[in-house]
Amino acid sequence: MVFVFTEGEVTEPSYLDIITEAGALKNPAAKVELRIANRKKKSDRKPIDLVEMAADFLREKTREAKRAKLKGAAAQPQVWCLFDHDNDPRVPEAMKLAKEAGVHVAFSHPCFEVWRLAHYKAITGSFDGVCDLAADRLPFHRGSEDAANPKLVLPGQVLGRFTQARDNARRMNDQHGDHVPKFDRDPYTDMHTFVEDVLGIASY
């Protein structure tokens, strides 16, 4: 079981719903169950808030597993936070707290839209931390039916594009040296790693 706390109320949940429904698994016998733990929560969605909630959640799940005397993977739930930089000054603090608490982070800079954009084109240069600069480059952001609710990810926007998105994200991330802290890498996303290595999805 993988539990996820998402910063966005619409974008990340709609994306995760699509890929977990339509994605082809690396190992069909090892399907990962994903649960968005804060799907119904309307507040406390800043990175530091997410990590604090996730840390409390992980501690409780670990206690429950011990009481139930669970073994193996069942005794070690994976808890993730999906959040962006989006010029939040507490992102470094949130990442530090997550590491200390055993909470995993999938991170995008300046925002999740850079991962959506990678489904369409190679990305070079910096967005200077401005999410709108990434969002405005999405081909469906303006002038199309999809633009009615640009935060909602629709199947046609991502399906059939994972390999391209993954490869574009890797090239984009390679612009940054290993010495640069993740929260200072602009643009950056490790969503492809989350999709492949955590959810076990090979393509969608």
Side-chain angles (χ1 to χ4, degrees), residues 5-164:
F5 289 78
T6 66
E7 183 174 8
E9 289 184 48
V10 176
T11 307
E12 292 93 326
S14 58
Y15 168 76
L16 292 173
D17 288 344
I18 291 166
I19 67 167
T20 52
E21 175 68 25
L25 300 176
K26 293 180 184 178
N27 180 3
K31 181 174 175 61
V32 175
E33 186 177 349
L34 175 106
R35 185 170 301 166
I36 300 174
N38 66 329
R39 187 187 288 269
K40 296 182 180 179
K41 193 168 179 61
K42 299 298 183 184
S43 60
D44 299 327
R45 287 182 174 267
K46 293 292 186 183
I48 193 68
D49 299 324
L50 288 184
V51 172
E52 288 173 348
M53 284 190 293
D56 288 343
F57 183 87
L58 177 57
R59 283 190 288 269
E60 179 57 32
K61 286 294 177 185
T62 301
R63 284 194 292 266
E64 289 176 4
K66 286 182 179 178
R67 286 196 294 267
K69 297 182 179 179
L70 299 178
K71 302 293 183 183
Q76 298 175 322
Q78 284 198 59
V79 178
W80 283 77
C81 290
L82 272 57
F83 62 76
D84 310 332
H85 193 290
D86 213 12
N87 286 321
D88 187 323
R90 299 189 72 184
V91 163
E93 180 186 352
M95 286 190 164
K96 181 175 182 290
L97 177 60
K99 185 176 182 179
E100 292 170 349
V103 171
H104 305 283
V105 174
F107 176 70
S108 299
H109 193 334
C111 57
F112 189 81
E113 276 63 33
V114 79
W115 171 236
R116 298 176 74 185
L117 184 60
H119 286 71
Y120 290 87
K121 59 182 69 177
I123 303 167
T124 58
S126 170
F127 293 105
D128 294 321
V130 180
C131 184
D132 285 349
L133 293 181
D136 285 346
R137 289 173 61 183
L138 292 170
F140 47 82
H141 186 65
R142 292 179 180 160
S144 72
E145 292 180 8
D146 293 6
N149 185 358
K151 288 189 176 296
L152 180 67
V153 179
L154 301 176
Q157 297 170 359
V158 293
L159 294 183
R161 296 178 178 271
F162 175 68
T163 300
Q164 178 180 352

